[in-house]
Amino acid sequence: MAEGLPVTVTITKVVKESPGVTTVFFDREFESCIGQFVMVWVEGTDEIPMALSYKNAITIQRVGDATTRLVAMKPGEKLGIRGPFGNGFRLHGKILAISGGAGTAPLLRVGLECPDVTFLMGARTADELIFHKMLTEKCDVRVATDDGSAGFHGYVAGLLDEISLDEYDTIVVCGPDPMMRSVLSVLQKRSSLEKSQFSMHRYMKCGVGVCGSCCMDPDGLCVCRDGPIFSGLSLQNSELGKYHRNAAGLKEK
Ligand SMILES: Cc1cc2nc3c(=O)[nH]c(=O)nc-3n(C[C@H](O)[C@H](O)[C@H](O)COP(=O)(O)OP(=O)(O)OC[C@H]3O[C@@H](n4cnc5c(N)ncnc54)[C@H](O)[C@@H]3O)c2cc1C
Ligand code: FES
């Protein structure tokens, strides 16, 4: 497929996963490594990066204009898709997946397609857990909720206390920046950073390493071109969990 040109797809199904998260399926599968992303053109609104939760679907958390339009779309409507772009996870052996909130979506295929996975899943409330039932049928799932309405009462990083990290060959992480920073700190203290990979989300415009809007401090690594998957070792001294840049390039906490 020509990477620079959007492919037009037709929406076939829309599934509400939780009050704020919706999966949109389309009529084409995109061959991709788990962890790669596509740029989704929402006509009349914007083009935004999204992980492929399935080869033919994206799972969207509503936060602003484009995501609000996306979750309101109906079967038969059309989207433009560019990509897939970026690197993917390097997955081998026994895998520990750690997600927070909508960060479960980019890791869904890890749980569904890889043979030996333990999945630690965090959300604010039981209502906000996504893909829980489906993943429970495929792998060992453990849950944490901020309000204690399901599983462990606390943040997902707290579940690591009951995990023997030495048993795992690969650790993959996706979620809000503060959650990923606290997981990174635990892995650092327990000498397991070298086998960890984090899926980073930053504001993107071009998606192909040209505009600089997704670059991270201090090294200027582009999330679109050099990521979105980064080793825990490479993120130790990064901006992760401290700030990110908005559409105007200004730092936001
Ligand atoms: C590689 C990659 C994969 C992604 N995968 C998913 C996914 O599977 N599901 C999903 O729901 N979202 C995903 N995102 C995030 C998604 O791209 C943003 O939520 C979306 O661009 C917001 O667009 P908007 O117009 O709705 O909101 P905007 O009006 O653009 O922004 C609303 C708020 O979200 C913040 N924001 C916007 N974009 C980002 C971003 N990329 N990272 C952090 N904060 C941001 C803005 O600063 C603002 O505070 C991914 C991002 C990247 C970079
Ligand atoms: S989005 Fe333009 S450099 Fe990454």
Side-chain angles (χ1 to χ4, degrees):
M1 184 178 58
E3 283 195 344
L5 297 174
V7 170
T8 302
V9 298
T10 304
I11 295 173
T12 53
K13 189 167 66 162
V14 177
V15 177
K16 200 166 170 82
E17 310 288 357
S18 77
V21 177
T22 300
T23 299
V24 169
F25 289 84
F26 26 79
D27 62 351
R28 176 173 173 140
E29 291 200 343
F30 290 84
E31 281 312 318
S32 54
C33 301
I34 302 176
Q36 283 191 294
F37 69 96
V38 291
M39 295 298 288
V40 182
W41 172 243
V42 189
E43 193 186 334
T45 311
D46 201 354
E47 189 189 45
I48 59 170
M50 282 280 146
L52 288 164
S53 46
Y54 302 86
K55 287 181 181 172
N56 65 336
I58 51 175
T59 297
I60 307 124
Q61 178 170 40
R62 186 167 58 79
V63 293
D65 288 352
T67 49
T68 298
R69 172 75 189 107
L70 264 176
V71 301
M73 291 182 91
K74 302 275 183 289
E77 291 193 81
K78 295 190 188 301
L79 294 170
I81 305 277
R82 275 196 301 138
F85 295 126
N87 57 7
F89 291 111
R90 293 176 313 284
L91 300 163
H92 72 279
K94 196 169 160 59
I95 299 171
L96 180 65
I98 310 171
S99 71
T104 304
L107 300 186
L108 177 64
R109 287 176 58 201
V110 176
L112 298 183
E113 295 176 24
C114 299
D116 195 0
V117 180
T118 303
F119 213 115
L120 311 184
M121 183 187 289
R124 282 185 299 193
T125 66
D127 279 358
E128 294 184 22
L129 289 166
I130 56 171
F131 304 120
H132 178 249
K133 186 168 177 294
M134 191 186 298
L135 285 168
T136 304
E137 286 161 13
K138 289 279 183 181
C139 46
D140 173 15
V141 179
R142 307 186 198 176
V143 163
T145 49
D146 299 1
D147 68 350
S149 51
F152 170 72
H153 188 169
Y155 296 136
V156 70
L159 287 174
L160 288 168
D161 292 347
E162 64 186 53
I163 296 287
S164 167
L165 295 174
D166 293 343
E167 286 176 21
Y168 294 91
D169 303 295
T170 307
I171 303 175
V172 295
V173 190
C174 187
D177 277 19
M179 169 257 164
M180 293 209 289
R181 173 53 79 175
S182 60
V183 169
L184 188 139
S185 301
V186 174
L187 300 183
Q188 193 170 21
K189 280 190 199 116
R190 293 175 58 185
S191 308
S192 295
L193 261 195
E194 74 286 350
K195 53 189 172 187
S196 69
Q197 298 162 53
F198 290 71
S199 175
M200 292 295 298
H201 290 176
R202 284 293 178 269
Y203 182 81
M204 285 186 185
K205 287 181 184 163
C206 69
V208 291
V210 174
C211 71
S213 64
C214 69
C215 292
M216 289 192 297
D217 286 331
D219 304 319
L221 291 172
C222 290
V223 172
C224 68
R225 186 196 56 207
D226 306 314
I229 312 304
F230 293 91
S231 74
L233 287 174
S234 71
L235 292 173
Q236 281 181 98
N237 301 316
S238 76
E239 65 182 49
L240 173 65
K242 298 173 192 155
Y243 58 84
H244 61 274
R245 290 178 195 278
N246 65 19
L250 301 171
K251 289 180 187 174
E252 274 182 0
K253 297 236 172 187

